[in-house]
Amino acid sequence: MNNHRVKSPVQQFYIDLSIKKLEAEKALLEDKGPAKPKRGRPRKNKLYFTLDTENAIIAYNSEENSELRNKVFNEFIYHPLFKMTQSLIHRYKFYHFDGRTTDVQNEVIAFILEKLPKYTQGKGRAFSYFSIVAKNYLIQNNYKHYNRKKSKAPVLSIDTQRDVLNEEIRNGQKSEIQDFYHQWIDHCDRNMEKIIRYKRDIPIAYAIIEIFRNCENIETYNKKALYIMVREMVDVKTQYITRVVNILKKEYLRLYEIYREKRTNK
């Protein structure tokens, strides 16, 4: 009779981790013999998101026991996510959020936690997947907080810097562009297979158009942010996105010239 109980995913993760550590220690002793004391400060491991982190996420997603899930999350997942969000915030200067940076990090981690089950083993590195998820969240919410701060700016300080004539010109231009912008999106929807030559590029084009359709003031998004969002939607290489963006840009400029001519001749 077999008395060995089947281990849960998280229990098996801890067993595999212990075996891995023992094998590493054994290999080190066999290669170098007794360890010699080193001078100076010990080197710190700079890798915070490792293969162990990825395996912990896989175990977390498969585990049914909530206590074990909490244990592996707190011990092996939370810190790497915390460091990752910290790095993204400072690297891309997402500084328009309210509150402390640590509060923002925990806000992003809470969002990532909802997305953890969507990661599956064998479909790319967990670090790449979750860094994109975190970056997209930060891009969109940083922009929202920035707009909120602008709307709360003192009226007097805004009014002293106003140029009413140029403001009216810009408002007229903006209204014109927005009118054409919606016409261009409808045109692309109706004629996508004529605009895009290769079938494999059509999903990329639809992803780009969908982002434009659902994002007001899309000009505030930089090129890198657009590429990140498209890659999350269709999972393609940057070179293919660039090709489709250039095609849509040419189509935009071509139709805009026609649009301007019609308005001028009215």
Side-chain angles (χ1 to χ4, degrees):
M1 184 175 177
N2 189 358
N3 292 323
H4 294 289
R5 294 174 59 187
V6 176
K7 304 298 181 184
S8 77
V10 168
Q11 288 173 333
Q12 189 61 50
F13 164 78
Y14 279 102
I15 292 170
D16 293 340
L17 193 66
S18 298
I19 294 171
K20 179 181 173 182
K21 286 182 179 178
L22 288 172
E23 289 178 346
E25 290 172 1
K26 183 180 178 182
L28 187 66
L29 289 172
E30 289 175 352
D31 290 342
K32 296 185 178 181
K36 295 180 180 179
K38 294 182 180 180
R39 294 180 179 179
R41 294 181 180 178
R43 291 183 180 180
K44 293 182 179 180
N45 185 3
K46 293 183 179 180
L47 294 175
Y48 58 84
F49 204 113
T50 65
L51 183 59
D52 290 338
T53 311
E54 186 166 312
N55 290 336
I57 291 171
I58 294 167
Y60 174 93
N61 285 337
S62 303
E63 182 60 58
E64 295 181 358
N65 185 293
S66 59
E67 289 185 9
L68 290 175
R69 280 163 63 90
N70 289 336
K71 176 180 171 64
V72 76
F73 179 83
N74 291 330
E75 293 181 0
F76 286 92
I77 301 174
Y78 175 79
H79 179 70
L81 292 181
F82 188 84
K83 294 293 290 183
M84 181 183 73
T85 54
Q86 183 184 59
S87 175
L88 288 172
I89 289 168
H90 293 306
R91 182 179 178 185
Y92 296 102
K93 303 187 187 308
F94 295 121
Y95 295 147
H96 292 296
F97 286 86
D98 297 326
R100 299 174 301 172
T101 300
T102 52
D103 294 334
V104 178
Q105 288 175 250
N106 285 318
E107 180 183 327
V108 180
I109 291 171
F111 178 76
I112 293 174
L113 191 56
E114 296 176 7
K115 305 295 181 182
L116 277 183
K118 292 188 176 182
Y119 175 74
T120 53
Q121 188 175 10
K123 290 191 176 180
R125 294 175 57 209
F127 175 77
S128 299
Y129 178 81
F130 290 111
S131 62
I132 289 172
V133 170
K135 197 183 295 183
N136 285 348
Y137 180 89
L138 286 164
I139 288 168
Q140 294 179 21
N141 286 277
N142 188 65
Y143 172 63
K144 288 178 183 177
H145 281 77
Y146 172 70
N147 273 349
R148 193 178 301 159
K149 285 181 179 179
K150 279 188 6 181
S151 68
K152 292 180 180 179
V155 176
L156 182 61
S157 65
I158 294 173
D159 198 52
T160 56
Q161 300 172 15
R162 288 182 65 183
D163 182 337
V164 177
L165 178 60
N166 285 331
E167 215 173 90
E168 288 300 316
I169 293 170
R170 285 195 299 271
N171 287 339
Q173 290 173 339
K174 187 174 181 180
S175 176
E176 179 183 291
I177 290 171
Q178 285 178 340
D179 179 52
F180 168 74
Y181 173 77
H182 294 297
Q183 291 185 33
W184 174 69
I185 289 175
D186 291 339
H187 167 79
C188 290
D189 275 337
R190 293 193 306 268
N191 301 283
M192 192 64 79
E193 294 186 4
K194 295 178 182 178
I195 299 168
I196 304 298
R197 181 179 176 184
Y198 299 106
K199 286 187 177 180
R200 68 185 176 203
D201 290 342
I202 289 177
I204 303 172
Y206 275 122
I208 293 169
I209 293 300
E210 191 63 26
I211 291 170
F212 275 77
R213 191 199 316 277
N214 293 298
C215 294
E216 295 180 358
N217 302 318
I218 193 69
E219 67 271 10
T220 57
Y221 283 85
N222 60 34
K223 186 177 179 181
K224 184 179 286 187
L226 176 65
Y227 276 41
I228 290 168
M229 286 186 278
V230 173
R231 278 202 299 267
E232 186 180 8
M233 293 170 74
V234 290
D235 191 22
V236 293
K237 294 181 180 178
T238 300
Q239 65 196 59
Y240 299 128
I241 301 174
T242 300
R243 181 171 64 201
V244 175
V245 166
N246 289 335
I247 293 170
L248 292 176
K249 183 179 178 181
K250 287 179 182 178
E251 187 68 6
Y252 182 97
L253 294 173
R254 183 184 74 81
L255 290 178
Y256 189 60
E257 285 299 317
I258 297 171
Y259 174 83
R260 288 297 303 274
E261 285 179 12
K262 287 181 179 179
R263 285 183 64 90
T264 304
N265 295 330
K266 278 185 179 181

